Amino acid sequence: MKVIVACGGTSGHVNPAIAIANEIKNRHPDAEILFFGTKTNIEASLVPKAGYDIEFISANGFTRKMTFKAIKHNIKALNTFFATARKVRKKIKEFNPDLAIGTGGFVSAPVLFAAAKMKIPTAIHEQNCFAGVATQMLAKRVDKIFLSFPISNKLDADESKQILVGNPAKQEFFTAERSSARAALGIDESEKVVLSVGGSLGARKINDSFCRMAERTSEEERLVLHHGASRDYNYVLEKLGDKAEHKNIHVYNYIYNMSELMAAADLIISRSGAGALTEIAALGRASILIPSPNVAENHQYFNAKTFADKGAAVLIEEKDLDGDKLYDLVCDLCNDGLKLKQMGAAAKTFASPETAKIICDEIDKMID
């Protein structure tokens, strides 16, 4: 069995792809899996770390804006798309896969386009409630469309091939446990641990708010902070200065042991992309969600509201974000063990541990 997996751009696209690949290998140990991704984005490190080969390609995202600059960008992206699709055809022919699957993002588009044209069974997984450009482009061509949520923008595709399955997460997010994670990380059971992340691409306002939280933490030592700063890593270190060396403050460029740190945390501060929420739900953790305002149809706000309405999270819009207020809220929540437990239990109700298995059941049917 040979499978091509296309993913890239953000960890929200890459981690579901790895979860699917892991499930394929779990049920078909002799399966050969080849990833396609870009050399400059997070897949370049995440995929090899997961133990898979990756073929690097060129790909540019499309924008929905209608400015002159945006149109110029889309023309360039379209040229790259067709050039990459031609190159990918050669590699697909050499690998001779039984199936190709993509998990959204601009990397999926040329790979699945080429595979579908070569009559190879194809599928795409859409993480968000508002389908991205790649999913919309490929909807008519692919054989199956896996959805995390009921889709808000109607796809130009037969509804019979659209399957609501949820968002897959790596199995470690369902099995990680608080006490063993803390023991592995050397964190005392009595510590109030907060994990904050702004997504794999980072978020300046979240990073600024973290810096203010870190300043107060260095003075009061009420919390232990772990923070993924991503592309703002150097900016955060410079802004914190000597405080970055405080024993209660830990700053990372990228968090590779995410399941372990999330399991060890009492509270998580995060964007509300589908991937982040899937992992928070899998672990059953209380969270403060700060939706990105720069996404299609403001879908992260509606993702976060779904959690907040069920009591699983506190929703703060980025325009209302303030480091001091965030710190005070975090301290209040961390001092209320019952509240954290109730929020975590509510988050757990959104977990979908069988998603990767359901997707692979469908993949097996497609190949048969």
Side-chain angles (χ1 to χ4, degrees):
M1 180 180 185
K2 293 185 176 182
V3 178
I4 279 176
V5 183
C7 63
T10 69
S11 58
H13 290 305
V14 179
N15 285 328
I18 293 173
I20 293 168
N22 288 347
E23 178 59 27
I24 292 172
K25 288 293 285 185
N26 183 53
R27 60 175 69 187
H28 303 290
D30 59 343
E32 295 180 45
I33 299 175
L34 177 63
F35 277 73
F36 280 82
T38 65
K39 192 179 289 186
T40 55
N41 286 304
I42 195 67
E43 63 270 22
S45 60
L46 289 186
V47 170
K49 278 182 180 293
Y52 297 106
D53 294 330
I54 183 167
E55 186 79 15
F56 293 120
I57 61 174
S58 297
N60 291 323
F62 293 91
T63 177
R64 294 180 176 87
K65 296 178 181 177
M66 293 304 292
T67 62
F68 175 76
K69 185 178 179 181
I71 292 170
K72 189 176 178 181
H73 168 86
N74 282 344
I75 291 171
K76 182 180 178 182
L78 195 62
N79 288 335
T80 303
F81 171 88
F82 284 116
T84 298
R86 286 192 295 271
K87 291 178 182 178
V88 164
R89 282 177 63 88
K90 183 179 178 182
K91 189 63 186 180
I92 291 175
K93 192 172 182 180
E94 290 174 4
F95 188 65
N96 191 28
D98 298 292
L99 178 133
I101 184 168
T103 53
F106 52 85
V107 176
S108 293
V111 177
L112 295 187
F113 177 85
K117 206 166 184 180
M118 296 169 73
K119 306 301 182 185
I120 293 165
T122 52
I124 191 165
H125 181 272
E126 174 59 55
Q127 288 85 52
N128 295 299
C129 57
F130 190 89
V133 174
T135 301
Q136 292 181 64
M137 285 176 61
L138 296 164
K140 268 190 170 182
R141 293 180 175 273
V142 297
D143 299 298
K144 294 284 183 185
I145 303 170
F146 300 117
L147 303 173
S148 293
F149 303 99
I151 214 75
S152 298
N153 52 331
K154 189 174 174 63
L155 293 172
D156 185 16
D158 194 318
E159 288 192 8
S160 65
K161 68 179 181 181
Q162 300 178 45
I163 307 172
L164 186 63
V165 297
N167 198 27
K170 289 182 279 189
Q171 196 59 34
E172 63 209 53
F173 285 94
F174 296 99
T175 57
E177 195 266 334
R178 184 181 187 273
S179 59
S180 57
R182 287 198 169 204
L185 294 167
I187 299 172
D188 190 88
E189 284 291 328
S190 64
E191 299 282 9
K192 306 295 184 184
V193 179
V194 180
L195 171 63
S196 52
V197 289
S200 59
L201 298 181
R204 179 58 60 91
K205 286 205 71 173
I206 292 178
N207 287 324
D208 283 337
S209 294
F210 165 78
C211 288
R212 180 56 187 147
M213 289 178 61
E215 288 170 5
R216 291 186 63 180
T217 293
S218 69
E219 298 164 1
E220 302 175 23
E221 297 190 353
R222 298 171 65 187
L223 305 169
V224 174
L225 304 181
H226 290 262
H227 181 69
S230 192
R231 60 187 177 190
D232 278 347
Y233 177 70
N234 291 327
Y235 167 83
V236 169
L237 292 184
E238 289 172 13
K239 192 166 183 177
L240 288 178
D242 293 342
K243 294 179 179 66
E245 303 300 321
H246 192 280
K247 63 183 178 66
N248 286 19
I249 298 168
H250 309 272
V251 183
Y252 310 90
N253 188 339
Y254 186 85
I255 299 172
Y256 289 102
N257 61 331
M258 184 64 82
S259 60
E260 191 172 53
L261 267 178
M262 287 177 73
D266 294 291
L267 180 67
I268 296 167
I269 301 170
S270 174
R271 288 297 199 197
S272 49
L277 295 189
T278 298
E279 292 166 359
I280 289 170
L283 281 159
R285 286 295 176 272
S287 62
I288 296 173
L289 301 176
I290 306 161
S292 170
N294 306 310
V295 294
E297 301 298 303
N298 201 23
H299 68 259
Q300 283 203 13
Y301 171 81
F302 295 103
N303 290 351
K305 192 173 185 303
T306 300
F307 269 54
D309 287 348
K310 289 287 187 180
V314 176
L315 166 60
I316 301 176
E317 292 192 67
E318 189 172 280
K319 62 183 176 62
D320 300 321
L321 189 59
D322 174 87
D324 282 300
K325 290 179 181 177
L326 182 61
Y327 178 83
D328 292 337
L329 173 61
V330 166
C331 288
D332 287 344
L333 287 172
C334 284
N335 287 327
D336 190 342
L338 178 59
K339 178 69 171 176
L340 289 179
K341 189 175 181 179
Q342 291 171 338
M343 292 174 70
K348 193 76 172 178
T349 64
F350 291 101
S352 51
E354 301 299 316
T355 295
K357 293 179 181 179
I358 294 169
I359 290 172
C360 287
D361 286 344
E362 293 296 325
I363 285 175
D364 284 343
K365 290 177 190 174
M366 290 169 69
I367 292 175
D368 289 341

